[in-house]
Amino acid sequence: MAAFDLKTYLRLKQEQVNVGLLRLLPPAASGRIADAMRYSVTAGGKRLRPILCLAAAEAVGGRAEDALPAAVALELIHTYSLIHDDLPAMDDDGLRRGKPTCHVAFDEATAILAGDALLTLAFQLLAAPQGPPGVPTDGRLRVIHVLAVAAGHAGMIGGQMADIAAEGNPITLSELERLHLLKTGALITAAIESGAILGGGTAEQIRHLNRYARNIGLAFQITDDILNVEGDPAVLGKAVGTDQKKNKSTYPALLGLEASRRLAAQRVKESLQALEYFDKKVIPLRALAHYVIERQR
């Protein structure tokens, strides 16, 4: 049997998500807010969260196409969060994905509104009366709830607030983990769970996949922290060393680089153990777990 080609898989799924995004976004040159939305969404990016959503749907025996609206919504939510994270009142970053951030390319007010519009558009898509054929309405309602919780005060926004509060204030490893289970992990877990729901997954399948997601979410954040120390800005598309300058609580700051790498590898190992429940349909998820810590951007 031929080896799984992750590079090709990522490219095909990225194309699928990008087509869905372009169909949904307002047309080019249809106003300043539309331009800002399109600018941020089409700036590039790994599309990791939507790809995880599609892969989870397939892992439980479903069709990726049925999970595509949720995958697109996840990327809209993620992009909104990046626009707001980059604002001067937050991380004050000037580059994102190798391009000027939204508030630099436009202005702060437009960036705030573009982020708000993308978040709203995500739920407009999920709540559309005509959903994918064959996908039960109760499944879509569950996904709307999962994503709303993950994006809100008990998820991503709560984690961002905790991250701000931790700047300059030493925290423990367990506190740092809780912070990132919200800030980064909540949306990654929601991506996996949403795909599994829309793929018709059982409660037991979703339980194992959520364990997988929790661990790769932490591995992803640990790797992000490491890249902020030693990554290549040209590859990352953004500045490095910013965490230390802002006195942020990070894994390398708390543990050192080598211990952080070992912890990320351990998280990936635990994520793979969660997939032992499944058959070969989870091969893409296994490959994605390794990709999370081997990436350079």
Side-chain angles (χ1 to χ4, degrees):
M1 186 173 66
F4 178 71
D5 185 349
L6 178 61
K7 186 176 181 180
T8 298
Y9 181 86
L10 289 173
R11 178 177 56 80
L12 292 174
K13 294 303 185 188
Q14 285 166 352
E15 289 174 1
Q16 193 175 5
V17 172
N18 287 337
V19 168
L21 287 165
L22 289 174
R23 284 177 180 162
L24 184 67
L25 288 167
S30 58
R32 186 171 179 80
I33 192 66
D35 289 346
M37 293 165 70
R38 292 181 70 91
Y39 174 86
S40 296
V41 171
T42 61
K46 298 176 287 294
R47 310 302 195 214
L48 178 63
R49 291 155 189 81
I51 291 172
L52 286 168
C53 179
L54 300 178
E58 293 171 332
V60 298
R63 302 190 314 152
E65 292 78 8
D66 292 340
L68 186 59
V72 170
L74 279 155
E75 191 63 21
L76 295 175
I77 294 169
H78 177 56
T79 304
Y80 126 76
S81 75
L82 298 181
I83 293 173
H84 282 195
D85 282 356
D86 289 336
L87 289 167
M90 303 283 275
D91 288 346
D92 195 15
D93 284 322
L95 278 178
R96 171 71 67 177
R97 295 169 174 170
K99 298 175 66 175
T101 48
C102 189
H103 71 273
V104 173
F106 293 86
D107 55 66
E108 286 186 45
T110 303
I112 292 169
L113 293 173
D116 293 345
L118 289 172
L119 175 62
T120 308
L121 184 60
F123 288 98
Q124 176 183 323
L125 169 63
L126 292 170
Q130 184 60 47
V135 176
T137 300
D138 63 341
R140 288 203 294 139
L141 287 173
R142 284 176 64 194
V143 168
I144 290 170
H145 181 261
V146 164
L147 293 187
V149 171
H153 75 277
M156 184 174 63
I157 289 175
Q160 181 66 23
M161 189 74 253
D163 189 36
I164 293 170
E167 288 184 16
N169 297 310
I171 60 176
T172 66
L173 181 59
S174 62
E175 289 170 334
L176 184 62
E177 182 175 282
R178 284 197 297 273
L179 184 163
H180 287 304
L181 282 171
L182 297 177
K183 181 184 176 185
T184 304
L187 204 59
I188 287 177
T189 300
I192 293 286
E193 185 170 354
S194 297
I197 290 169
L198 295 173
T202 65
E204 187 67 5
Q205 287 175 320
I206 291 171
R207 185 177 70 82
H208 286 282
L209 286 174
N210 278 342
R211 181 185 163 209
Y212 163 87
R214 173 188 172 95
N215 280 288
I216 65 159
L218 289 170
F220 183 92
Q221 183 59 53
I222 296 166
T223 303
D224 253 16
D225 287 356
I226 292 170
L227 289 172
N228 193 271
V229 175
E230 60 178 19
D232 181 347
V235 176
L236 287 169
K238 58 183 178 181
V240 299
T242 54
D243 289 344
Q244 185 176 12
K245 289 177 183 176
K246 295 168 186 172
N247 203 15
K248 280 183 169 287
S249 295
T250 67
Y251 286 93
L254 192 61
L255 302 175
L257 283 170
E258 288 308 314
S260 295
R261 289 190 187 94
R262 289 195 297 271
L263 182 58
Q266 177 60 33
R267 288 298 182 185
V268 168
K269 180 180 178 181
E270 291 180 23
S271 75
L272 295 174
Q273 289 171 347
L275 297 182
E276 292 173 0
Y277 176 81
F278 298 90
D279 60 17
K280 63 182 180 180
K281 293 187 183 73
V282 295
I283 288 175
L285 289 178
R286 289 196 186 101
L288 285 163
H290 291 292
Y291 167 77
V292 160
I293 62 169
E294 293 168 358
R295 63 195 169 90
Q296 299 301 311
R297 56 187 285 266

